[in-house]
Amino acid sequence: MNYSILIIGAVHAAGAKGLAMLRNIDIDLLRSFVTIAELRSFTRAATALARTQSTISTQVRKLEEIAGQTLLQRSPQEVLLTRAGEDFLGYARRIVALHDEALDVVRAQSVSGRVRLAVMDDYATIVLPETLARFARSHPEVELEVTTGFTRDLIGSLGEAFDLVLATQKAGDGGGEVLRAERTAWAWSDRHDFPPAGPLPLALLKAPNMYREWALAALNEAGRPWRILFSSSSIGAVEAVAAAGGALTVVKAGTAHEGLRLLGEAEGLPQLPASEIALHLAPGRPTPAVRALAGFLTDTLKMTTD
């Protein structure tokens, strides 16, 4: 028997197997890449996927090692796709979508009815779109009605107008099922110097609003003079004004507008209370459709350890 041929054949087989293993891409790597590409931000992608930013960065590096190409380029303002990244994005999207669709079909039960969900504006536009789209695909007989607004107004209508409310609340003070902790932070334009003295120009949500109350109470207690420069019922509008360099605002660190930098005690600003995201269920026995959506939201937003 020719043992040299056998040995060479075994080496070639092992090498082929190793190459095949290198070309198998974990779906989590693709999902992180797609989410970063769509949100143009590692921070926002980490929030949307309930992962830390360091985990997201590690996943991208691993994906680029497997691909043998640089797929993303960071800049101070945003994350951009390279030419290879642009070519790869379409394939990654299709693979992730097909993966999720297959799981949803297998897991889905025959559920019908209407679910009335209320949620904060920033979570509705940044964190939840993918989850709600998946829910709609896997439960086509469920009519989903989503309303955005301030937590205080939404909670007051729980059970009457809404079946579920996803709310922002002060850490430890609210009810519901706590799904995630959020860091509350001051924010200022990343293109302009922060004013060291004088009355602070503020862009805040209209009263009554929890973050507005926290901001004013903290500044008053610290003896920092302030003036309201801009007030709106839109989170996006308030944060856009701050990002343009016109005013100081208060944000959830995980969903902050692009162009904002987070500030704190190093800039002489008082500490703000910690907040959390909680899911509130209307009193009474929930319908199967309500339970199904609650499960989707919990799976997406629950706090995880990377």
Side-chain angles (χ1 to χ4, degrees):
M1 180 179 293
N2 192 333
Y3 289 101
S4 61
I5 294 176
L6 289 176
I7 293 171
I8 292 172
V11 170
H12 285 173
K17 182 179 180 181
L19 181 60
M21 290 177 65
L22 287 175
R23 291 179 62 82
N24 289 333
I25 302 176
D26 190 317
I27 197 70
D28 283 343
L29 306 186
L30 294 176
R31 191 184 305 281
S32 294
F33 168 70
V34 170
T35 306
I36 294 167
E38 292 176 345
L39 298 180
R40 291 289 194 267
S41 166
F42 277 72
T43 300
R44 288 190 176 187
T47 298
L49 296 172
R51 294 288 185 268
T52 64
Q53 189 168 337
S54 62
T55 295
I56 295 293
S57 298
T58 299
Q59 289 177 326
V60 169
R61 286 196 298 271
K62 186 173 181 180
L63 180 61
E64 290 179 330
E65 288 175 4
I66 295 172
Q69 298 281 349
T70 299
L71 303 175
L72 296 168
Q73 288 183 337
R74 297 195 196 201
S75 73
Q77 287 74 37
E78 62 180 346
V79 177
L80 301 174
L81 288 164
T82 64
R83 176 61 183 273
E86 291 175 351
D87 293 340
F88 188 65
L89 180 59
Y91 295 101
R93 276 187 176 136
R94 293 202 296 274
I95 293 170
V96 171
L98 188 60
H99 169 275
D100 291 347
E101 183 179 345
L103 286 181
D104 290 343
V105 168
V106 171
R107 294 174 177 173
Q109 301 176 1
S110 179
V111 176
S112 62
R114 182 170 67 134
V115 183
R116 302 166 301 169
L117 170 67
V119 62
M120 312 84 67
D121 181 64
D122 51 352
Y123 264 59
T125 56
I126 297 173
V127 179
L128 292 184
E130 181 181 346
T131 299
L132 297 181
R134 287 181 57 201
F135 181 84
R137 288 195 301 269
S138 62
H139 296 80
E141 300 301 317
V142 175
E143 179 186 351
L144 184 57
E145 181 181 298
V146 181
T147 301
T148 62
F150 293 166
T151 287
R152 190 170 298 172
D153 297 333
L154 302 178
I155 287 290
S157 297
L158 180 65
E160 179 180 346
F162 308 123
D163 304 303
L164 293 167
V165 173
L166 192 64
T168 305
Q169 56 197 35
K170 188 175 182 179
D173 282 2
E177 180 182 0
V178 177
L179 304 181
R180 176 182 294 187
E182 280 283 4
R183 181 162 70 94
T184 315
W186 299 98
W188 181 264
S189 170
D190 63 6
R191 296 180 291 112
H192 296 81
D193 293 334
F194 178 66
L200 293 172
L202 301 178
L204 298 172
L205 290 167
K206 287 185 176 180
N209 172 261
M210 181 176 64
Y211 277 17
R212 179 190 181 101
E213 293 168 1
W214 289 358
L216 299 184
L219 292 175
N220 288 337
E221 185 175 350
R224 291 295 302 267
W226 53 266
R227 61 188 178 91
I228 302 292
L229 178 70
F230 184 84
S231 183
S232 172
S233 59
S234 166
I235 295 175
V238 167
E239 294 190 8
V241 167
L248 178 70
T249 192
V250 178
V251 299
K252 297 183 187 74
T255 58
H257 192 285
E258 290 294 329
L260 288 173
R261 60 188 174 100
L262 305 184
L263 307 180
E265 295 180 79
E267 290 77 20
L269 293 170
Q271 187 174 3
L272 293 165
S275 56
E276 61 192 17
I277 307 301
L279 184 63
H280 296 256
L281 188 65
R285 185 175 181 178
T287 66
V290 171
R291 288 199 304 270
L293 179 57
F296 257 64
L297 295 176
T298 300
D299 289 344
T300 301
L301 299 176
K302 64 184 177 182
M303 291 176 286
T304 58
T305 302
D306 294 297

